[in-house]
Amino acid sequence: MDYTDLYIDGGWHKTADRFDVINPATEEVIASVASADIADADKALDAAEKAMADWAARTPRQRSEVLRKAWELMTARLDHFAHLITLENGKAGTDAKGEATYAAEFFRWFAEEAVRADGMITHAPASGARIVVQHKPAGLAVLVTPWNYPAAMGTRKIAPALAAGCGVIIKPASETPLTMLALMPLLEEAGVPAGLVNVLPSRKTGALVDHMLHDPRVRVVSFTGSTGVGRKLLKSAADQVLKPAMELGGNAPVVVLEDADMDTAIEGTMLAKMRNLGEACTAANRIYVHQDIAGEFTKRLTERMSALKVGDGTDPSVDVGPLVNADTRDKVAAFVADAVVKGAKIECGGTMPEGKGFYYPPTVLSNVSEDADCVQDEIFGPVAAIQTFSDQEEVIQRANNTEYGLVAYVFSSDFKRALQVCERLDYGMVGLNRGLVSDPAAPFGGTKQSGLGREGGHEGMLEFMETQYISARW
């Protein structure tokens, strides 16, 4: 690969310590990538601090134009980034192209938001003083991104940070660092100053990130990943009282009411379940279908899942690529085995194929028990676990019975009824009659143990800003 070293202060830096990136479709080594240590982190922090001083002083329009240029450049190179995503992550080509498009859109959205960090001036009713409120860059930001969206989870953090005026250090997932490294020459071309964005792949993630979170120049930590890791980062962030933006785990319920349009419910469930092969915190995890329509729903979902072609994502005819690594595949297989022991029926799939690659077939389980492991935890794979219900009150309680609160999905033809159900679901996001909630223009995030703060929308930029209030008299 062209870009496999550390990216610090606008340049490429080799290291003696390196690690391999594996193609999950073939189990072959794609590239050997530099592994950052504490000294490298200090260099990146120094570079970001220096570059941020000038960047934060630029006008919002100047920052906006750089971000707009980044969107134009990435949009012109979507096929290149999609191919790279497929190689290191495994997802099918169409899915990878969708991610690349989504990732680029964050640059355009936050190019527009960069000029809208609106403050206000009001007259204090009691004192008569003027209340002047403005938003300022919070400081250096450490961004920790996952492997399931190698491009989009990076741009969803980089773009608002730059729009706000912050410098950043990115720690990409060790499974998928290549996409983020390949983005750096594009940002250079767009006009991002040297040192403002730094990328530190590393196989010593814990020590590296912990060190940066204890540097007094760092004021924001933004993380996407598991709730367990998020808790550890929050403990480290507490030492310096950093601003945390955490998009953590999910256990998304799908509620299909008896009056749902069947075509809409099947299409939406397929998208919510199989987008990114189910390797997403937003993926449908618990599928609750009213008992009156469960038979037809299960039959039609099984037909759709059975028709998906599994294979190397670089093949244009493939619908479903491999899972990212052997551990993820084996965990999915264990979920299925546990569900079957507890009474579930395999409607399709359920058998791990032989040969190279971390493949698992699209699988539908019916009659899934409430105590099955796949109901209690994220599946993170192509397994649709169907349960039934008879009462609306009952299903709302079951849907809310989890420590997670990222996203839920509701299908009903009665809009008033559906909205009433949505409002009672304890989730940060709800998809109503659609299986996709992610949008750069929307505030993405969850409740309970699914995270803190929001990404996307206007709120996404404010995560990288501090509100300053000036009490003035004139």
Side-chain angles (χ1 to χ4, degrees), residues 81-398:
F81 282 100
H83 180 69
L84 194 52
I85 290 167
T86 294
L87 286 181
E88 63 177 349
N89 171 274
K91 67 182 68 176
T94 53
D95 213 348
K97 183 73 171 287
E99 181 191 341
T101 304
Y102 175 53
E105 188 64 22
F106 282 105
F107 288 126
R108 178 162 64 165
W109 173 257
F110 283 107
E112 296 163 347
E113 286 300 298
V115 299
R116 297 187 175 90
D118 299 332
M120 68 174 185
I121 299 177
T122 61
H123 202 160
S127 69
R130 296 302 196 276
I131 297 173
V132 181
V133 178
Q134 61 180 342
H135 303 290
K136 303 173 65 176
L140 299 187
V142 172
L143 316 178
V144 184
T145 60
W147 49 258
N148 56 345
Y149 287 91
M153 295 303 95
T155 60
R156 191 163 78 176
K157 300 177 189 301
I158 295 169
L162 298 192
C166 297
V168 302
I169 299 92
I170 307 161
K171 165 57 186 72
S174 298
E175 292 88 349
T176 58
L178 301 175
T179 302
M180 194 48 49
L181 290 168
L183 184 65
M184 293 306 106
L186 183 151
L187 294 185
E188 287 180 17
E189 188 178 346
V192 173
L196 192 66
V197 179
N198 306 270
V199 185
L200 301 180
S202 181
R203 58 180 177 181
K204 304 168 184 173
T205 298
L208 189 78
V209 173
D210 185 72
H211 174 77
M212 290 191 287
L213 297 191
H214 286 88
D215 188 295
R217 294 169 291 184
V218 172
R219 298 309 311 148
V220 180
V221 55
S222 180
F223 169 71
T224 299
S226 72
T227 296
V229 174
R231 292 188 186 112
K232 293 178 182 178
L233 291 179
L234 282 171
K235 289 178 181 178
S236 292
D239 290 339
Q240 287 210 108
V241 195
L242 303 184
K243 283 176 64 74
M246 300 276 164
E247 193 266 282
L248 306 178
N251 188 355
V254 177
V255 177
V256 185
L257 299 171
E258 71 275 15
D259 59 4
D261 177 82
M262 187 61 70
D263 290 339
T264 300
I266 292 294
E267 196 63 40
T269 302
M270 283 293 296
L271 181 56
K273 176 71 262 182
M274 293 304 294
R275 181 170 176 253
N276 202 47
L277 194 60
E279 293 177 309
C281 294
T282 55
N285 211 68
R286 298 167 290 150
I287 303 174
Y288 299 114
V289 186
H290 193 277
Q291 61 184 16
D292 291 352
I293 60 171
E296 181 186 358
F297 181 93
T298 301
K299 177 177 179 293
R300 291 182 59 174
L301 187 67
T302 300
E303 290 171 352
R304 288 289 301 275
M305 293 280 276
S306 300
L308 297 174
K309 181 178 179 181
V310 179
D312 190 326
T314 58
D315 179 346
S317 68
V318 163
D319 302 302
V320 178
L323 293 162
V324 73
N325 54 36
D327 287 345
T328 301
R329 176 201 60 195
D330 294 346
K331 184 178 180 180
V332 170
F335 276 137
V336 172
D338 171 79
V340 170
V341 167
K342 293 173 180 174
K345 177 185 177 183
I346 297 176
E347 301 288 347
C348 69
T351 303
M352 192 185 306
E354 296 180 356
K356 291 287 187 180
F358 308 125
Y359 295 99
Y360 198 86
T363 299
V364 176
L365 302 175
S366 61
N367 194 42
V368 178
S369 170
E370 193 69 24
D371 66 347
D373 291 345
C374 65
V375 173
Q376 304 302 320
D377 198 1
E378 285 186 287
I379 299 171
F380 243 65
V383 177
I386 299 175
Q387 299 175 276
T388 61
F389 70 93
S390 59
D391 177 74
Q392 180 175 299
E393 188 66 29
E394 165 209 349
V395 77
I396 291 172
Q397 292 178 2
R398 288 167 66 184

Side-chain angles (χ1 to χ4, degrees), residues 17 65 116 193 210 370 415 434 463:
D17 187 19
E65 289 174 352
R116 297 187 175 90
D210 185 72
E370 193 69 24
F415 192 66
R434 67 191 310 257
E463 297 290 347

Side-chain angles (χ1 to χ4, degrees), residues 3 37 42 52 56 89 154 290 314 391 455:
Y3 306 108
D37 60 18
D42 288 337
M52 181 181 161
N89 171 274
H290 193 277
T314 58
D391 177 74
E455 295 187 305

Side-chain angles (χ1 to χ4, degrees), residues 92 342 438 447:
K342 293 173 180 174
S438 302
T447 62

